[in-house]
Amino acid sequence: MSFPWAEHYAPKHPVMRWLDEKLPLPRLVYSAVGPGYPVPRNLNYFWNFGILAGLALGIQIVSGIILAMHYAANGTVAFDSVEHIMRDVNSGWLIRYAHMNGASFFFIVVYIHIFRGLYYGSYKAPREMVWLLGVVIFLLMMATAFMGYVLPWGQMSFWGAQVITGFFSAIPVVGEPIREWLLGGFAPDNAALNRFFSLHYLLPFVIAGVIVLHIWSLHIPGSNNPTGVDVQGPQDTVPFHPYYTAKDGFGAGVFLVCYALLTFFAPNYLGHPDNYIPANPLSTPAHIVPEWYFLPFYAILKSFTFNFLWIPAKLWGVMAMFGSILLLFFLPWIDGSPVRSANYRPLYQKFFWILLVDVLILGYLGQAEVTPMVVLASQICAIYYFSHFLIILPIVSRIERPLPLPNSITESVLHGEAAEAAPIGLAAASH
Amino acid sequence: MLARIFAPIVVGLGFVTALVFAILFTPHDAAQPNVVEEFHKDPKAIHYASDGPLGKFDRQQLQRGFQVYQEVCSACHSIRLVHFRDLEEIGFTKPEVKAIAKQYKIEQPSINPDTGEATTRKNLPSDPIPWNFANEIAARAANNNALPPDLSLMVKAREGGAPYIYSLLTGFAPVPANLPASNRPAPNLHYNPYFANLNIAMPPPLTADGQVEYSDGTKATVDQMARDVSAFLIWTAEPKLEARHRAGIGVVIFLLIATVLAYMSYRNIWAGKKH
């Protein structure tokens, strides 16, 4: 689109020239995912996950629209309408399981996408806006997923809605009125279910819109790469099509195989049995746990058990839980290192891996039964989480001595070889 | 520049201090030995024909399971999501289903077309299988105020699934002598180590071999009846399981071939391009 090494669209066929003058749609495709978007040649498989997230969103929107044709957002029939989809709608079981597990896979690929960005410094200048929009997408995804989980109106749907909207009641004075306003009542009921359905249908399209902005802002500086070194010329890049369309095609295949295995052979593995019990406001489940993708944040919430500085523990927990995501908005400025890729940042690299393990442990602790040991462990892990971003990173990024960077992307991939091997066609012709 | 470094550190120290205080001032009581955990048992390992990616229902077994449901469980429990017509899927013919519906001992709630009074009529294949009780209050009244839950989704609604149900049905036991008084069954409760809190309101439903008489000659031991009815409940919870397995095999094979082709095309396009 607009970086110096972008290829410009020059249609040859008169029809395409005519179309380009009236509606430059082919130009858009050419510049966005075609040969007009030169991409660093050294991207590894972690760069597949952006496309995979888009694919997951597409699957969710298509399966979701079909589900909405059969689902009824009314507290008395919502649960049974989902079972109607599972039993009586042609291939309804497939659509519903695909949607249910599609949400999990969307989060899996987005989490990998986020951690890729953290490792390779994709949030740094000049790509801060890409990162900021990414965090917005992540927040929208969490809201969408939460509201979607409420729709089957099972026990976990109901009590999850109860607990999560209960966060707002932690706000002093206005908290309880806000909660009642959000729910349209004193507890989750028909009003809440209906508005959640409406918003659950709306937000994916908002996400799609923000994704357009996310990609647009990415295409201004162009993609980052595993070395973090800027592109210096055409020798450093390959056209997006066919090089990365082919690589993404393979990545999509692997993704779909994993997704199909879970959807067809263990569709309820990531779910919770209690959600197959119809919602019952009079009977609280023994353990209320959110879906797996919220567990690290849930563990942070639960780790605040002390009314520090006269602020109630619950309010600390809620602030920390939202804070743990909102701090990502400040990451491009917290990290002061000019070097992007953690491959050349020995100290940051170590802390990155500790953070990853820390988040996985928090995820485990989020679903564990609350015992003193679990609380202590989640407090320690939550301390590390905040320390990593807010204390370690600002200091480490300013004191560490990065390893020498390669002079260029091409140099890094050629490993000292003088020139590239001849393309296969030419090599064959010379024999 | 300095603000960039100090602002996050101040916020970070805020959260960290709150957590450190939480660690220091939360009473960390020594964990109480959990009596329930000590006596609670995990479900027995048991195999069903429908297990695994190639699993299919054993229709003969499902029919026996339906018989156990009909003659034993249905006295208290409903399977409200199952319709008589669905029984065709477990191997009954259309006329058989029609007969089962017509002869079913519980009739369908209905309205007298002349007077508008509540009445009942014979079941049709299109009817959901009716419940023995008119409503929840009636069910509680007949069961010491305990509500017998609907069984349609039970296999998916309990940790442990069908093996848990099988274990529960065969797991009633005398109260262990060393069980503390606080965990002993109250009146109208029954000791069962597979149940979450050890004491279940349901009395042992399968009490003697030969409680039902199987028409296919299978010996109706308690163990066999528990196996059959739990297998039947896999079907009521997941009636499309076979279609799912069949479609899954096809989809995965298709995707694997497509992925191999995509990999070859990727290698081909990148051949000679160092990256």
Side-chain angles (χ1 to χ4, degrees):
Chain A
M1 279 176 190
S2 41
F3 43 92
W5 60 93
E7 296 286 333
H8 290 282
Y9 181 58
K12 287 189 189 74
H13 196 278
V15 173
M16 296 309 276
R17 267 209 298 275
W18 181 86
L19 183 61
D20 189 47
E21 274 170 28
K22 316 295 175 205
L23 178 72
L25 205 57
R27 176 178 294 269
L28 180 73
V29 173
Y30 181 90
S31 313
V33 290
Y37 183 49
V39 187
R41 60 193 288 179
N42 59 338
L43 303 189
N44 58 31
Y45 282 114
F46 284 106
W47 264 262
N48 283 44
F49 286 88
I51 294 279
L52 295 183
L55 175 64
L57 177 69
I59 293 172
Q60 288 307 86
I61 288 180
V62 171
S63 58
I65 288 174
I66 300 170
L67 286 177
M69 295 172 186
H70 303 281
Y71 170 79
N74 180 304
T76 49
V77 291
F79 186 90
D80 285 1
S81 76
V82 172
E83 279 308 315
H84 159 71
I85 292 170
M86 292 296 289
R87 287 157 194 271
D88 299 330
V89 173
N90 290 334
S91 299
W93 58 269
L94 172 59
I95 307 289
R96 194 248 172 167
Y97 277 154
H99 195 71
M100 200 171 121
N101 289 291
S104 285
F105 272 84
F106 196 2
F107 273 96
I108 291 172
V109 295
V110 161
Y111 278 128
I112 296 174
H113 189 59
I114 292 173
F115 273 99
R116 191 269 288 153
L118 286 176
Y119 186 87
Y120 292 110
S122 303
Y123 51 86
K124 293 187 183 185
R127 297 183 187 82
E128 302 98 316
M129 186 53 77
V130 187
W131 174 259
L132 298 181
L133 291 166
V135 180
V136 171
I137 294 169
F138 181 47
L139 286 169
L140 287 169
M141 276 177 67
M142 295 179 100
T144 311
F146 156 65
M147 287 188 274
Y149 193 56
V150 174
L151 301 185
W153 212 233
Q155 274 289 69
M156 277 302 161
S157 300
F158 178 88
W159 290 97
Q162 181 83 299
V163 169
I164 290 186
T165 57
F167 297 159
F168 291 94
S169 64
I171 304 168
V173 189
V174 292
E176 196 53 42
I178 288 179
R179 175 172 182 270
E180 282 164 24
W181 175 72
L182 287 172
L183 281 175
F186 298 108
D189 205 344
N190 230 7
L193 182 59
N194 265 292
R195 65 190 57 181
F196 283 6
F197 178 54
S198 171
L199 293 173
H200 183 71
Y201 206 120
L202 168 70
L203 288 185
F205 298 98
V206 178
I207 292 177
V210 184
I211 287 175
V212 170
L213 301 182
H214 185 67
I215 297 172
W216 189 4
S217 67
L218 169 71
H219 282 212
I220 288 171
S223 297
N224 187 24
N225 69 83
T227 64
V229 174
D230 284 329
V231 169
Q232 284 155 9
Q235 73 283 3
D236 287 344
T237 64
V238 290
F240 189 88
H241 180 72
Y243 285 90
Y244 285 108
T245 39
K247 195 167 180 176
D248 287 332
F250 170 54
V254 175
F255 167 80
L256 289 173
V257 168
C258 301
Y259 174 45
L261 284 175
L262 201 72
T263 301
F264 287 102
F265 300 114
N268 294 304
Y269 179 74
L270 294 170
H272 197 288
D274 277 37
N275 228 26
Y276 281 108
I277 305 171
N280 181 355
L282 300 178
S283 149
T284 318
H287 314 287
I288 303 175
V289 280
E291 286 282 78
W292 69 266
Y293 34 80
F294 294 135
L295 290 174
F297 306 103
Y298 193 56
I300 290 177
L301 171 85
K302 289 192 297 180
S303 65
F304 286 80
T305 51
F306 180 71
N307 302 339
F308 179 63
L309 289 181
W310 302 279
I311 297 174
K314 184 181 175 188
L315 182 54
W316 268 112
V318 171
M319 287 194 311
M321 189 184 62
F322 286 110
S324 65
I325 301 165
L326 296 181
L327 63 81
L328 297 175
F329 279 117
F330 299 93
L331 189 59
W333 298 277
I334 291 173
D335 185 345
S337 170
V339 176
R340 295 195 189 101
S341 171
N343 282 349
Y344 305 99
R345 300 178 63 188
L347 203 50
Y348 170 75
Q349 194 187 43
K350 290 193 183 70
F351 287 112
F352 169 86
W353 290 114
I354 299 175
L355 176 74
L356 182 61
V357 172
D358 184 72
V359 171
L360 292 175
I361 297 176
L362 276 172
Y364 169 79
L365 296 170
Q367 56 80 49
E369 222 172 303
V370 181
T371 65
M373 274 316 289
V374 166
V375 173
L376 182 64
S378 48
Q379 285 164 338
I380 293 169
C381 289
I383 286 180
Y384 183 79
Y385 183 89
F386 287 107
S387 306
H388 174 91
F389 286 107
L390 298 173
I391 300 172
I392 296 171
L393 198 51
I395 298 173
V396 159
S397 63
R398 285 166 177 88
I399 62 165
E400 85 179 327
R401 285 180 51 167
L403 302 176
L405 292 170
N407 290 320
S408 74
I409 291 171
T410 306
E411 187 197 89
S412 79
V413 294
L414 289 187
H415 305 295
E417 292 166 51
E420 280 191 63
I424 260 188
L426 289 180
S430 70
H431 285 298
Chain B
M1 180 63 216
L2 274 183
R4 270 195 201 170
I5 221 186
F6 281 115
I9 292 180
V10 168
V11 177
L13 283 175
F15 283 122
V16 169
T17 321
L19 281 165
V20 169
F21 271 78
I23 291 178
L24 294 177
F25 293 102
T26 310
H28 289 102
D29 309 330
Q32 298 286 323
N34 188 333
V35 176
V36 172
E37 238 165 62
E38 192 184 323
F39 286 88
H40 185 263
K41 288 182 187 168
D42 286 335
K44 300 172 194 174
I46 160 173
H47 178 78
Y48 294 94
S50 54
D51 287 351
L54 294 168
K56 283 190 163 64
F57 290 121
D58 173 350
R59 284 187 166 57
Q60 210 57 43
Q61 182 177 40
L62 297 191
Q63 293 188 13
R64 292 196 302 268
F66 174 61
Q67 191 184 347
V68 176
Y69 166 77
Q70 210 181 342
E71 294 180 21
V72 184
C73 319
S74 72
C76 301
H77 294 278
S78 53
I79 41 171
R80 63 184 187 90
L81 297 172
V82 182
H83 293 69
F84 286 103
R85 58 176 156 81
D86 297 329
L87 295 173
E88 278 179 46
E89 289 171 36
I90 64 170
F92 291 107
T93 61
K94 251 184 194 356
E96 279 171 342
V97 167
K98 214 168 177 177
I100 290 170
K102 200 171 176 192
Q103 291 156 15
Y104 202 70
K105 61 182 188 294
I106 312 158
E107 295 205 321
Q108 200 68 24
S110 177
I111 290 170
N112 183 321
D114 300 323
T115 64
E117 283 170 340
T119 178
T120 58
R121 60 163 171 77
K122 295 238 180 280
N123 292 290
L124 297 168
S126 57
D127 286 325
I129 295 181
W131 193 18
N132 208 2
F133 300 107
N135 51 52
E136 199 183 309
I137 298 169
R140 283 188 188 275
N143 288 286
N144 299 310
N145 204 31
L147 176 69
D150 181 77
L151 298 181
S152 326
L153 286 167
M154 198 46 87
V155 162
K156 290 201 281 188
R158 291 292 182 276
E159 209 75 59
Y164 163 75
I165 292 170
Y166 163 81
S167 307
L168 195 76
L169 290 174
T170 54
F172 288 89
V175 182
N178 57 346
L179 190 70
S182 59
N183 294 87
R184 286 175 174 271
N188 300 320
L189 294 184
H190 308 271
Y191 182 77
N192 191 321
Y194 296 95
F195 192 62
N197 69 7
L198 306 179
N199 297 303
I200 186 169
M202 174 173 75
L206 303 173
T207 46
D209 292 353
Q211 194 170 343
V212 303
E213 200 173 313
Y214 286 142
S215 56
D216 66 357
T218 309
K219 199 166 177 307
T221 59
V222 168
D223 183 83
Q224 187 64 42
M225 289 185 288
R227 272 170 204 271
D228 293 346
V229 79
S230 55
F232 172 69
L233 292 179
I234 298 177
W235 173 76
T236 62
E238 191 75 6
K240 308 294 180 195
L241 177 139
E242 287 183 346
R244 173 158 64 75
H245 285 175
R246 205 167 44 236
I249 297 289
V251 168
V252 169
I253 290 174
F254 170 83
L255 285 174
L256 282 175
I257 294 171
T259 305
V260 169
L261 290 175
Y263 181 72
M264 285 158 62
S265 112
Y266 157 59
R267 296 294 299 196
N268 190 27
I269 283 169
W270 282 81
K273 194 85 188 167
K274 282 230 164 222
H275 60 290

